[in-house]
Amino acid sequence: MINYDQSNTLEKLVDSSTLLEVQLAKELNKTSQRWLTTNDVGNILQINTAAVLRVTEKLARDISDLGEEGIELIISKGKGIQINIRNDKDIQVLIAYIISQAPAVQLLEAIFKEEISSVTQYAQQNYVSEATVRRNINKIRSYFDDFDVTISRVTAKLEGDEKQIRLLMMIFYWRVYGGVTWPFDSVAEQDIVEMTNHLLYSLILSDIEIPHLFIRQISYYFAESVLRTRKKNFID
């Protein structure tokens, strides 16, 4: 499988409230057989009661928006909160969804896909201030520290070596989604997976059992390449 330098940590992109929500989801999953009270959650996350209520409400909204049948959050005034998770993949899907909703993460996805014509347009479409968008762009620039890639101040398009841009996409999408979901709505998953399997098994490693995660990583790479090529971004 592909390993990446940990300097490009998602913590550079994800805000503190999202990190708390991820921590709460993981803790609820670990203690799924018992209830956690507001005090329990406050002590675990080291936050006050008001913050516990905010992060719990956000988790409940995200689970509802995600719409996975295998995930259920139960809130009881007398007992506290409890989560029912069908299997390990479901908790991974939930965590990936939570992280994907972080403002800087959503902005970087839009930048990679070249869905932004200007900072002003993005701010208006997402009902946030231009100052907020620029703060998130600064977070993304920090995430790009080890790469010779920059972001245009006006159009928010990526500038730099296309190979490095695609490497950044590989790191980013795998760290956020980890192969548990298909985050490329405009690219047909089945077509990409079939092409990947054909390439790996028929042309390269026909007699070797290839790990599923490796196949998934290569499928992500092909999908990312399709997205960039459609926007006429080619590798020299």
Side-chain angles (χ1 to χ4, degrees):
M1 284 186 292
I2 302 167
N3 293 311
Y4 305 118
D5 189 320
Q6 291 301 312
S7 60
N8 294 90
T9 173
L10 281 175
E11 290 186 2
K12 290 184 177 181
L13 295 176
V14 179
D15 53 286
S16 59
S17 61
T18 299
L19 292 174
L20 284 172
E21 189 182 350
V22 168
Q23 191 178 348
L24 175 58
K26 289 180 177 180
E27 193 63 36
L28 286 169
N29 185 52
K30 282 196 303 184
T31 60
S32 59
Q33 299 304 311
R34 66 184 182 88
W35 295 89
L36 291 183
T37 67
T38 299
N39 286 338
D40 291 334
V41 175
N43 290 332
I44 292 166
L45 302 184
Q46 298 184 336
I47 55 178
N48 60 32
T49 300
V52 170
L53 294 176
R54 285 196 298 271
V55 72
T56 302
E57 289 171 359
K58 179 63 166 54
L59 179 60
R61 287 198 303 272
D62 280 343
I63 288 174
S64 176
D65 292 344
L66 179 59
E68 285 285 321
E69 292 183 1
I71 306 172
E72 180 186 22
L73 184 68
I74 306 169
I75 302 175
S76 168
K77 289 184 178 179
K79 297 179 180 179
I81 58 175
Q82 186 181 62
I83 199 166
N84 290 329
I85 302 283
R86 180 174 51 195
N87 54 48
D88 289 341
K89 182 180 178 181
D90 286 329
I91 187 64
Q92 293 170 349
V93 169
L94 174 59
I95 290 169
Y97 181 78
I98 293 169
I99 293 172
S100 75
Q101 300 307 296
V105 171
Q106 291 190 324
L107 175 59
L108 182 50
E109 285 208 56
I111 289 172
F112 276 135
K113 295 174 181 177
E114 295 194 354
E115 297 173 341
I116 302 175
S117 59
S118 70
V119 170
T120 301
Q121 166 260 332
Y122 185 85
Q124 291 173 348
Q125 283 188 343
N126 291 275
Y127 306 102
V128 295
S129 68
E130 287 189 41
T132 297
V133 177
R134 294 195 183 282
R135 279 196 297 273
N136 285 325
I137 287 176
N138 286 335
K139 286 185 181 181
I140 294 169
R141 288 195 175 107
S142 175
Y143 186 71
F144 287 178
D145 273 349
D146 297 329
F147 293 82
D148 188 21
V149 176
T150 59
I151 303 174
S152 166
R153 291 192 60 82
V154 178
T155 63
K157 286 190 176 182
L158 296 176
E159 299 174 344
D161 181 37
E162 183 63 21
K163 283 185 279 191
Q164 292 211 19
I165 291 172
R166 294 192 189 189
L167 177 58
L168 275 166
M169 287 185 77
M170 289 174 67
I171 294 170
F172 169 77
Y173 276 102
W174 194 256
R175 288 228 170 107
V176 174
Y177 298 100
V180 296
T181 62
W182 186 255
F184 313 105
D185 292 341
S186 64
V187 181
E189 179 178 4
Q190 184 175 347
D191 292 346
I192 293 293
V193 171
E194 287 178 356
M195 181 182 72
T196 303
N197 278 302
H198 173 73
L199 177 66
L200 293 177
Y201 281 106
S202 300
L203 303 180
I204 301 176
L205 300 168
S206 58
D207 297 325
I208 300 174
E209 184 66 28
I210 304 171
H212 170 74
L213 280 181
F214 181 75
I215 295 173
R216 198 67 171 162
Q217 285 180 322
I218 300 301
S219 296
Y220 268 41
Y221 173 73
F222 285 149
E224 291 151 5
S225 298
V226 168
L227 290 174
R228 294 292 298 172
T229 302
R230 281 177 180 171
K231 296 293 184 177
K232 303 188 184 306
N233 296 299
F234 306 106
I235 294 176
D236 294 331

